[in-house]
Amino acid sequence: MTKKALITGLTGQDGSYLAELLASKGYQVYGLVRRTSTSSLERISHLGSQVEIVSGDLLDQCSLMDVINDTEPDEIYNLAAQSYVPLSWTQPALTAEYTALGVSRLLESIRRCKPDARFYQASSSEVFGQPDESPQTERTAFRPRNPYGVAKAYAHWMTANYRQHYHLYACCGITYTHESPRRGAEFVFRKITSTAAKIKLGLAKELRLGNLEAKRDWCYAKDAVRAMWLMLQQEKPDDYIIASGETHSVKELVECAFSSVGLSWQDYVSVDPEFYRPDEPVQLIGSIDKIKNQLDWQPEYSFAHLVESMVEYDLKKLTDSQV
Ligand code: NAP
């Protein structure tokens, strides 16, 4: 029988890749999309009839219950969130509504309407904040240091509690930063690849950044969504870290992006303390031992491939828009 999956956050980076993956596996894919005055379907327009869009909002419990009753999904992936850390400082209550309470509404809707559905919650390495240990494992204590991390920690524990208390098949994937050509423009990785492309085309002259020594554990979004799907195919629900298991500095990223277009980064990049992150996390790096050993998952795409594919995409997009 054809499996049915419901994805929230379909229009986001991960939602679009997950929809592609599930459609390629023969799933009937439903994507929850909230109403906006302009279309937000850019990342999924190429999927056409492979995805059926359903209307709903994490702020509205009735809409979630209606969607679950109508679609009767076997698997539900909650990728929707207010996902941008800096905005969580200026809009903390809204971040909590989407990213924390939205998950309560969804879990409660599943419990009432489709308790046998398997549920994936997009947790985040931001729950670790200033961690006690490096690399972090599934047992590392949560010490979130921004409203986004706090909201994700709440969502994580609610998911674990619904698993324990109501015996839902519910899992959290603690994802570290992951990127792709579909990454939002506000994120630093994207800012670097798109500015390198703009400088190459003569459309920009310089790139101002914060701490070049800051390190992150970055992987490709395509690898991350493959792990999400694998998690819901197991006999028992469990939580896993989804990461590359290695860190790279912003300086390495800049070097790689500029050299991929034949430029020397030192000629264009300057450090501006205005862009320093006040809550810079300490050595966020995920241990992928558990997911590697239990689910046989590891990243397929390298850091260099990720950077180069994003610069290439940005170059093409900018060139096309000039024609
Ligand atoms: P994203 O590109 O920012 O997408 C977020 C999605 O959530 C969008 O489709 C957005 O819809 C939707 N959304 C926001 N508020 C909503 C609401 N009230 N009701 C319904 N939908 C709503 O995020 P992403 O990068 O794909 O990340 C996917 C998930 O993984 C998020 O939960 C994020 O917090 C988490 N995560 C991401 C990373 C990463 O590095 N990418 C790392 C750790 C965890 P609109 O198009 O209408 O705005």
Side-chain angles (χ1 to χ4, degrees):
M1 229 172 58
T2 305
K3 272 196 187 174
K4 294 192 276 185
L6 171 66
I7 302 172
T8 74
L10 175 75
T11 55
Q13 169 186 257
D14 292 5
S16 64
Y17 283 114
L18 182 64
E20 258 169 42
L21 179 78
L22 297 180
S24 75
K25 290 183 181 297
Y27 279 70
Q28 164 81 49
V29 183
Y30 299 97
L32 185 98
V33 174
R34 58 180 169 164
R35 198 236 161 220
T36 47
S37 64
T38 52
S39 171
S40 60
L41 304 181
E42 189 190 335
R43 291 187 180 103
I44 51 157
S45 52
H46 63 289
L47 287 171
S49 61
Q50 288 181 287
V51 179
E52 189 173 320
I53 289 168
V54 289
S55 176
D57 197 306
L58 286 186
L59 298 184
D60 188 291
Q61 173 101 43
C62 292
S63 72
L64 300 176
M65 292 177 72
D66 284 348
V67 164
I68 292 172
N69 278 329
D70 291 347
T71 60
E72 299 184 317
D74 302 295
E75 297 172 12
I76 299 174
Y77 296 85
N78 181 36
L79 308 182
Q82 190 302 93
S83 69
Y84 189 49
V85 171
L87 191 80
S88 76
W89 283 114
T90 51
Q91 299 185 2
L94 190 72
T95 300
E97 281 290 351
Y98 288 0
T99 307
L101 287 179
V103 180
S104 277
R105 293 185 194 101
L106 192 50
L107 284 164
E108 199 47 32
S109 304
I110 295 170
R111 183 178 81 79
R112 287 162 190 257
C113 305
K114 189 79 171 63
D116 63 336
R118 295 184 169 202
F119 177 66
Y120 172 88
Q121 164 58 18
S123 203
S124 163
S125 57
E126 290 288 337
V127 297
F128 296 128
Q130 296 285 0
D132 297 336
E133 56 185 359
S134 232
Q136 295 79 51
T137 73
E138 290 77 3
R139 292 176 305 285
T140 300
F142 288 5
R143 305 200 189 291
R145 298 256 301 169
N146 54 60
Y148 169 81
V150 173
K152 282 289 184 187
Y154 170 92
H156 186 107
W157 286 119
M158 286 304 281
T159 303
N161 273 270
Y162 270 61
R163 176 170 71 219
Q164 284 146 15
H165 191 79
Y166 292 120
H167 307 294
L168 294 190
Y169 187 114
C171 311
C172 295
I174 308 174
T175 46
Y176 284 60
T177 317
H178 45 279
E179 312 284 328
S180 74
R182 297 183 199 161
R183 184 61 144 158
E186 67 276 35
F187 293 92
V188 71
F189 204 112
R190 194 37 172 294
K191 179 179 168 184
I192 292 169
T193 62
S194 67
T195 311
K198 280 183 194 155
I199 292 173
K200 177 70 183 171
L201 296 173
L203 300 171
K205 288 190 166 57
E206 60 161 357
L207 170 60
R208 287 160 60 222
L209 291 170
N211 184 4
L212 295 184
E213 303 307 326
K215 289 187 168 177
R216 292 282 184 283
D217 179 329
W218 276 296
C219 76
Y220 200 133
K222 279 187 186 178
D223 277 324
V225 302
R226 186 167 48 83
M228 297 171 193
W229 172 77
L230 265 177
M231 283 175 59
L232 294 201
Q233 311 314 309
Q234 307 309 308
E235 199 180 320
K236 287 191 182 147
D238 204 349
D239 304 325
Y240 295 89
I241 282 180
I242 302 172
S244 72
E246 57 184 47
T247 56
H248 295 272
S249 66
V250 174
K251 194 195 278 176
E252 282 175 78
L253 164 53
V254 166
E255 272 172 356
C256 192
F258 279 77
S259 75
S260 76
V261 288
L263 299 175
S264 173
W265 69 273
Q266 289 93 337
D267 296 338
Y268 305 97
V269 176
S270 59
V271 172
D272 185 339
E274 188 198 322
F275 294 114
Y276 269 64
R277 196 173 147 174
D279 59 337
E280 186 62 53
V282 175
Q283 249 319 42
L284 272 186
I285 171 170
S287 161
I288 55 173
D289 288 353
K290 182 176 173 185
I291 193 162
K292 215 172 181 175
N293 294 334
Q294 295 187 11
L295 308 192
D296 196 22
W297 176 92
Q298 60 183 348
E300 283 176 2
Y301 298 96
S302 69
F303 176 73
H305 173 84
L306 173 60
V307 179
E308 286 158 14
S309 62
M310 287 178 68
V311 177
E312 195 182 321
Y313 176 90
D314 287 324
L315 269 178
K316 184 170 178 336
K317 195 168 176 196
L318 287 164
T319 310
D320 290 351
S321 70
Q322 285 180 309
V323 179

